[in-house]
Amino acid sequence: MVTGHSSEPGPPGTASTYGSKKASEPPFRTYQAFVWALNKYFTSFKEELTMIERELICNDETVTLSAVLERLSPHLAQIKVLHRVFCTGVAEVPPATPNVVRASHLLNTLYKAIIEYDSVGEASEQAVALLFSLWTETVRPYLEIVDEWIVHGHLFDPAREFIIQRNKDVPVNHRDFWYATYTLYSVSETVDSEEKLNDAASGSSGGDQASGGRQLTMVSFLKPVLKQIIMAGKSMQLLKNLDCKEAEKSQRASRDAERKSLHTLFLESVQSRLCSREESPADGMTEQQSTRRSLIKMQSIMARHLEIDDVHDPLLAINFARLYLEQSDFQECFSGGDFSVDRSSQSVTCQTFELTLRSCLYPHIERRYIECCGNLMKTLTKDYRLLEYLQAMRNYFLLEAGDTMYDFYTAIFDKVQEKESWQQPSFLNVQLQEAVGQRYPEDSSRLSVFLEPIDASRKKQPVNNLEVLTLSYKVPWPVDIVISSECQKIYNQVFLLLLQIKWAKYSLDTLRFTEEVKVKERVNQQIHRMCLLRVKLMHFVNSLHNYIMTRILHSTGLEFQHQVQEAKDLDQLIKIHYRYLATIHDRCLLREKVSFVKEAIMKVLNLVLIFSDRWQAGAWKIESIDKMESDFKNCHMFLVTILNKAVCRGSFPHLESLALSLMAGFEQC
């Protein structure tokens, strides 16, 4: 016995024990449902034996043993199928195997058995009907767990048999809730081990392949909608804890007394799909006679399932049996572009069973996913101002609030030009608060500036002195799920680059000509060379500035805003945001792979600051002018060559505008 004792099993949901488990432990509902399904079959088999016994007692005719065996042969064949499934799915599983592995293995065994017998055709239609009945009953606890999670946001699984487990160490209101709250278990069918894969921001399975080439599987029938289940469950739990109107509305709708469970909806959809098909006329009495027995058996099988949920329809059995007798017609009716069969899974032979799941089960999960995730996105957008916080990050870190941030960083640049100390947290925060408070008073309390130490060797280059600055923006929960601290680090890297470019541009823009009285002709020539070099440097800096601010930040920002509006769930929004940051990080040449290009740009920006200092000091020594011209020419030539090669290879197509602009300046040189 599966339960480990000889008592009669009760219906699913009643307490029972199995193996050496203590009675105080929660019941293993998947095994309970499986035993209950077997019990129902053997009860009907016992009734058949009793009927034969009565006929033998009442009948005066001679009955041979061979006649009895012939009458029982269909049952004996079915018992052989059940024994095979039991041995593979239950008996051969080691005793110490975790419940999640036991449940997954049993459901997969039934799933694959249906596929195997269904591929044989009409010869095994009774086995398919029996296995489908067994699977439908055994899968009930799994669907109940999914239903409770995606409807009420509660993952109720006391026996830990579901492939997704809740990490109770992470509360809902923690910023890591979306990333580290649930663990997805993938079971290796080739070895007796368990692989535990963390459910990351993607919310999907941790992958289908393990190291060493081992094939990882999970509950096969859930694979196509696993991501939707995870997204809907997490979204519903988050909504439940946000205490918002959308959650209340969703809760009222989901807890309505007339709401049907996912298992009931699945059975009713099977019934509705099959009964909606027009009954084709029979070709002849011979065919009707050959299928009559199987139709009657299917009717009794499906009726027992539907009676549990108070669903009665005498036509269901007839239509469901024809589903397997007319597989080609069924596929033609239901494939029709609505459902594309995924042949990437291990189950590639079954057509009717896959299509039944895709037309009768998955749409209910999909609808719940759309509803839950849509409500969460509306709540974050309306009640928690998600889009406003994303815009605030672009305003301050990417300098889209031009006037506001101009007042802040020019105060720093003026201090630098006047040779005054500016690396003081009090001074920096006062300047930031004054600049932001004038136009965005609601953000003044959220923004702050910190000073981080840098390596002493980097301080030798003036342009690196800004690297001590770190801008911080306090993002409230649950918006910090999207705008995480890791995201702010990327924002800060782009902010620092923009600040360095702005500093070089400001230094050149604020240079003024001084009136010299009767200067010598040689000095006049040096001033002329300095003016020419200033124009060349301004062209370089302006080209770089326009490329970053318009070609990269502005155009990428417009694309990002459009994608945000189309995000269907929080996981999509997180990925869109990360992709946006990765794009601007890459196109601003901050990636390690193109660090040599950034170093050359930093050399030019550093040269601009040195040039500005010497201009203001009136240092017109010809040796220093020669060196600055030579350094700029070398860096300029290097960048033009590198960028042109990259554009020609197609490696960095976004650099084409910058390459053309720098090329124009190089030709003028």
Side-chain angles (χ1 to χ4, degrees):
M1 294 294 292
V2 179
T3 55
H5 56 81
S6 59
S7 61
E8 287 293 329
T14 59
S16 67
T17 59
Y18 60 92
S20 59
K21 299 285 184 179
K22 298 179 181 179
S24 59
E25 294 187 3
F28 187 10
R29 292 184 292 168
T30 301
Y31 271 19
Q32 278 189 340
F34 179 65
V35 173
W36 177 245
L38 289 177
N39 177 65
K40 289 195 295 183
Y41 173 79
F42 284 110
T43 299
S44 64
F45 179 59
K46 183 179 180 181
E47 293 174 354
E48 181 74 13
L49 292 177
T50 303
M51 185 182 302
I52 294 176
E53 184 180 4
R54 289 174 180 172
E55 291 177 0
L56 289 175
I57 294 173
C58 299
N59 199 340
D60 296 333
E61 296 180 2
T62 303
V63 179
T64 62
L65 181 60
S66 61
V68 175
L69 289 175
E70 182 179 358
R71 182 172 177 180
L72 291 177
S73 60
H75 289 283
L76 297 177
Q78 291 177 343
I79 292 175
K80 185 177 181 181
V81 172
L82 293 178
H83 180 262
R84 177 186 174 189
V85 169
F86 172 78
C87 290
T88 305
V90 179
E92 296 177 0
V93 178
T97 305
N99 285 350
V100 61
V101 182
R102 290 172 176 267
S104 298
H105 181 67
L106 175 57
L107 291 173
N108 280 345
T109 300
L110 287 169
Y111 185 87
K112 293 174 183 177
I114 294 174
I115 291 170
E116 178 183 345
Y117 283 99
D118 184 58
S119 62
V120 176
E122 296 182 14
S124 61
E125 65 178 66
Q126 292 183 351
V128 171
L130 174 63
L131 290 172
F132 181 80
S133 171
L134 201 63
W135 181 86
T136 304
E137 190 62 55
T138 307
V139 83
R140 177 191 292 269
Y142 242 67
L143 294 184
E144 288 175 350
I145 294 173
V146 172
D147 185 65
E148 178 70 16
W149 192 25
I150 66 178
V151 173
H152 304 311
H154 180 213
L155 186 58
F156 180 73
D157 182 24
R160 300 180 68 83
E161 55 193 288
F162 194 50
I163 57 173
I164 301 170
Q165 297 294 327
R166 174 77 161 89
N167 179 12
K168 296 181 179 180
D169 295 334
V170 182
V172 180
N173 59 353
H174 194 275
R175 68 181 182 90
D176 292 334
F177 163 78
W178 198 259
Y179 310 98
T181 310
Y182 294 94
T183 300
L184 172 65
Y185 290 82
S186 291
V187 183
S188 175
E189 294 288 353
T190 57
V191 292
D192 295 328
S193 66
E194 174 188 5
E195 297 290 339
K196 192 166 74 173
L197 303 170
N198 285 331
D199 170 29
S202 63
S204 58
S205 66
D208 291 332
Q209 295 289 339
S211 59
R214 293 182 299 174
Q215 180 69 29
L216 292 180
T217 63
M218 56 195 69
V219 182
S220 301
F221 78 97
L222 286 183
K223 274 188 177 182
V225 288
L226 184 62
K227 179 182 177 181
Q228 287 85 339
I229 292 173
I230 295 174
M231 290 299 103
K234 292 199 295 186
S235 298
M236 196 62 227
Q237 186 171 8
L238 188 57
L239 267 175
K240 188 177 179 181
N241 286 268
L242 289 179
D243 191 24
C244 56
K245 296 179 181 179
E246 292 291 342
E248 294 174 3
K249 185 196 308 181
S250 179
Q251 287 292 316
R252 284 197 301 269
S254 63
R255 294 189 181 277
D256 187 86
E258 297 181 357
R259 193 191 71 82
K260 298 176 181 178
S261 69
L262 182 61
H263 187 263
T264 303
L265 291 173
F266 167 58
L267 293 181
E268 288 185 349
S269 294
V270 172
Q271 171 189 359
S272 176
R273 287 281 185 178
L274 296 174
C275 292
S276 63
R277 297 175 60 238
E278 294 184 1
E279 193 171 329
S280 58
D283 294 334
M285 291 299 295
T286 304
E287 183 178 356
Q288 288 182 350
Q289 292 173 352
S290 65
T291 59
R292 179 178 178 81
R293 184 178 179 87
S294 61
L295 292 175
I296 294 175
K297 286 186 174 295
M298 180 62 73
Q299 181 181 15
S300 62
I301 290 170
M302 292 305 300
R304 287 198 298 271
H305 286 293
L306 295 172
E307 282 174 3
I308 299 176
D309 300 300
D310 295 327
V311 179
H312 304 276
D313 194 324
L315 296 178
L316 175 59
I318 298 175
N319 283 287
F320 192 82
R322 285 203 175 95
L323 180 152
Y324 286 96
L325 293 173
E326 302 169 3
Q327 292 186 18
S328 60
D329 181 59
F330 174 83
Q331 184 177 5
E332 181 180 351
C333 292
F334 286 106
S335 58
D338 293 335
F339 303 98
S340 56
V341 179
D342 181 10
R343 297 298 177 187
S344 62
S345 64
Q346 295 177 345
S347 308
V348 296
T349 58
C350 179
Q351 296 179 1
T352 54
F353 189 42
E354 282 185 344
L355 290 171
T356 300
L357 293 176
R358 292 181 181 276
S359 60
C360 300
L361 176 62
Y362 301 160
H364 297 295
I365 297 175
E366 189 77 25
R367 279 193 291 271
R368 188 61 196 164
Y369 155 77
I370 294 173
E371 181 183 353
C372 290
C373 297
N375 288 339
L376 179 60
M377 293 299 293
K378 290 178 183 176
T379 300
L380 293 177
T381 302
K382 294 180 180 179
D383 299 345
Y384 291 88
R385 303 167 50 214
L386 172 62
L387 299 182
E388 296 179 27
Y389 284 115
L390 288 173
Q391 182 60 53
M393 298 300 293
R394 299 199 303 275
N395 284 345
Y396 309 125
F397 288 84
L398 307 185
L399 307 183
E400 287 191 12
D403 295 342
T404 298
M405 298 307 290
Y406 179 85
D407 294 341
F408 167 64
Y409 60 69
T410 53
I412 299 176
F413 300 159
D414 289 339
K415 284 277 189 180
V416 175
Q417 289 183 350
E418 295 170 5
K419 309 298 182 183
E420 297 180 6
S421 175
W422 60 273
Q423 296 184 8
Q424 301 172 0
S426 58
F427 163 74
L428 294 171
N429 281 287
V430 167
Q431 293 298 323
L432 182 61
Q433 298 299 323
E434 289 180 354
V436 174
Q438 294 178 6
R439 299 175 181 85
Y440 304 96
E442 68 279 2
D443 287 331
S444 59
S445 61
R446 296 189 176 277
L447 271 173
S448 58
V449 183
F450 297 97
L451 293 177
E452 300 288 345
I454 62 172
D455 189 76
S457 60
R458 297 189 62 79
K459 294 182 179 179
K460 297 178 182 179
Q461 304 295 330
V463 73
N464 295 332
N465 289 332
L466 290 177
E467 292 181 359
V468 299
L469 292 176
T470 299
L471 196 60
S472 176
Y473 187 83
K474 295 179 182 178
V475 182
W477 180 84
V479 181
D480 60 355
I481 296 176
V482 179
I483 309 175
S484 62
S485 57
E486 291 76 14
C487 292
Q488 289 210 30
K489 290 179 182 178
I490 301 177
Y491 275 115
N492 259 301
Q493 293 181 34
V494 180
F495 171 71
L496 177 59
L497 175 65
L498 296 179
L499 216 58
Q500 291 170 325
I501 297 174
K502 293 285 186 181
W503 188 10
K505 179 174 171 57
Y506 185 78
S507 298
L508 292 174
D509 291 343
T510 54
L511 290 180
R512 297 292 181 266
F513 293 100
T514 56
E515 295 292 335
E516 296 288 341
V517 181
K518 295 182 180 180
V519 294
K520 296 181 180 180
E521 182 178 354
R522 183 178 180 182
V523 175
N524 197 24
Q525 291 177 353
Q526 295 171 4
I527 294 175
H528 180 68
R529 290 177 63 185
M530 289 287 283
C531 290
L532 289 178
L533 181 57
R534 175 175 179 261
V535 171
K536 295 175 184 178
L537 292 173
M538 287 184 69
H539 179 270
F540 180 92
V541 173
N542 286 335
S543 298
L544 180 63
H545 180 268
N546 292 336
Y547 163 75
I548 296 292
M549 298 303 295
T550 59
R551 180 68 179 86
I552 302 303
L553 297 183
H554 180 68
S555 59
T556 309
L558 292 177
E559 182 180 355
F560 169 66
Q561 293 179 47
H562 176 70
Q563 292 175 344
V564 166
Q565 296 294 337
E566 295 185 344
K568 295 181 180 180
D569 58 51
L570 184 57
D571 200 56
Q572 284 187 14
L573 180 60
I574 292 171
K575 289 181 179 179
I576 289 170
H577 186 228
Y578 269 116
R579 195 182 307 121
Y580 166 67
L581 291 178
T583 299
I584 62 176
H585 183 270
D586 180 39
R587 294 183 178 180
C588 287
L589 306 174
L590 296 172
R591 194 170 54 168
E592 188 66 27
K593 187 178 180 180
V594 291
S595 59
F596 60 94
V597 179
K598 184 194 172 187
E599 289 176 5
I601 292 176
M602 289 297 108
K603 286 182 180 180
V604 177
L605 298 182
N606 193 64
L607 180 62
V608 169
L609 299 180
I610 296 174
F611 173 84
S612 176
D613 285 342
R614 291 179 179 175
W615 178 290
Q616 292 175 343
W620 313 108
K621 292 183 179 180
I622 192 168
E623 294 82 4
S624 62
I625 297 175
D626 289 341
K627 187 176 187 311
M628 287 189 294
E629 287 178 339
S630 176
D631 290 344
F632 175 68
K633 184 177 181 180
N634 292 335
C635 288
H636 198 180
M637 183 184 301
F638 171 77
L639 285 171
V640 169
T641 304
I642 290 295
L643 294 180
N644 280 333
K645 287 183 178 179
V647 171
C648 291
R649 289 197 307 267
S651 305
F652 305 97
H654 55 275
L655 290 173
E656 184 175 1
S657 60
L658 178 62
L660 292 175
S661 180
L662 294 182
M663 175 63 75
F666 181 74
E667 292 174 351
Q668 292 176 1
C669 294

